[in-house]
Amino acid sequence: MAPLSPALLDAACEPYRNAGHFAYYFARGKLRTDPVYRAILESGLLLGRTSVLDLGCGQGLLAAWLRAAERCYESGSWPRTWPPAPRVLSTRGIDLMAREVERARSALGPALNISQADIRSAAFGAVDAVVILDVLHYLTPQAQLEVLQRVRAALPVRGLLLLRVGDAGGGMRFRYGQWSDKLVLLLRGRTVVTQHCRSVAQWRVLLRDCGFDTEVTPMSQGTPFANVLLIAHAT
Ligand SMILES: C[S@@+](CC[C@H](N)C(=O)[O-])C[C@H]1O[C@@H](n2cnc3c(N)ncnc32)[C@H](O)[C@@H]1O
């Protein structure tokens, strides 16, 4: 696999210089090593989607990534083998943690319409794509169901949900992901909460029951985890 374009990585991380050392170096590490960000562009997953809602958006990395992609594409510093960058007109984010929201605001300003709120109760409005990366395992099974039902209600038919989860059927790699998640929470001074995980097959059943057709693609290349990306279209 060709290395990630340094211009793209630099453009996405640069805004985080306004949000402090931690936010900047976290952005660099995450965007460089987490395969999901590259896959979203390389596979054109958000092409044609103009309004994106990022649930549990953290410090707004997806919005920074999409904005940098659009700029790099327009300026011609874009990998020749990749499809065009998506032209997302509005990106909204919701996150529970004040510190994450503050970092996102310092870095991105009005480029990300972010609210500090709980996705279990916040209004989702109407959008044509929803992205949820590494968040739903913090919610109880009933809350996962309710959030996904409301995600479906926010999307039109053929609207897109990108849901990244750990596959509870993934053996040691899955357990390693759970430990790593707990360690990161501890290092960030956060409470370690119970995780509510499902196997890929169980996620697919839940998504079908909520009104989605789903494809699954592995999403932990280059990492020791058992993560998958569920690419779900509203039926
Ligand atoms: C592992 S981080 C992932 C952040 C981001 N999606 C990413 O991939 O960079 C999980 C995020 O979900 C947020 N979160 C957890 N439960 C939430 C809830 N009920 N409502 C809103 N955000 C929540 C956390 O504050 C945290 O920022």
Side-chain angles (χ1 to χ4, degrees):
M1 192 193 300
L4 199 57
S5 148
L8 176 59
L9 185 62
D10 288 349
C13 297
E14 194 56 30
Y16 288 98
R17 290 194 188 277
N18 293 331
H21 262 65
F22 177 86
Y24 176 75
Y25 287 104
F26 180 78
R28 282 205 82 84
K30 181 88 171 156
L31 292 174
R32 193 169 53 78
T33 57
D34 187 333
V36 75
Y37 294 99
R38 178 185 183 126
I40 284 172
L41 300 181
E42 195 171 20
S43 304
L45 296 179
L46 288 174
L47 265 182
R49 311 288 173 174
T50 57
S51 56
V52 173
L53 174 63
D54 185 3
L55 296 180
C57 62
Q59 64 178 41
L61 292 180
L62 179 67
W65 188 240
L66 296 177
R67 195 167 72 135
E70 203 172 327
R71 288 183 178 172
C72 287
Y73 181 71
E74 280 167 5
S75 69
S77 57
W78 189 249
R80 271 180 297 134
T81 52
W82 289 13
R87 290 183 65 85
V88 176
L89 302 178
S90 106
T91 311
R92 280 198 296 130
I94 300 175
D95 202 279
L96 199 53
M97 301 300 296
R99 210 162 12 166
E100 301 290 348
V101 171
E102 193 45 50
R103 288 183 180 126
R105 286 194 178 128
S106 303
L108 299 169
L112 173 65
N113 176 357
I114 188 167
S115 319
Q116 187 197 347
D118 190 327
I119 62 169
R120 291 171 294 187
S121 52
F124 295 164
V127 286
D128 52 23
V130 175
V131 179
I132 313 177
L133 303 177
D134 310 336
V135 179
L136 280 196
H137 59 291
Y138 295 125
L139 272 51
T140 62
Q142 180 62 26
Q144 291 170 354
L145 168 72
E146 288 168 11
V147 164
L148 290 174
Q149 286 171 333
R150 290 194 305 112
V151 167
R152 174 62 192 87
L155 291 168
V157 171
R158 303 309 297 159
L160 175 72
L161 164 64
L162 297 179
L163 172 63
R164 209 250 306 258
V165 293
D167 173 11
M172 272 313 286
R173 288 173 70 96
F174 167 70
R175 279 192 284 285
Y176 190 74
Q178 282 194 303
W179 297 330
S180 160
D181 193 271
K182 287 180 185 162
L183 184 65
V184 169
L185 287 176
L186 281 172
L187 290 175
R188 299 183 88 167
R190 308 248 291 262
T191 314
V192 174
V193 292
T194 307
Q195 300 181 14
H196 303 278
C197 302
R198 303 174 190 249
S199 66
V200 170
Q202 290 167 331
W203 280 113
R204 292 190 81 169
V205 169
L206 178 65
L207 284 164
R208 187 202 59 206
D209 293 348
C210 292
F212 291 96
D213 273 343
T214 310
E215 295 161 45
V216 182
T217 183
M219 201 46 68
S220 41
Q221 302 88 316
T223 75
F225 310 132
N227 292 336
V228 294
L229 185 67
L230 298 151
I231 303 171
H233 289 98
T235 56

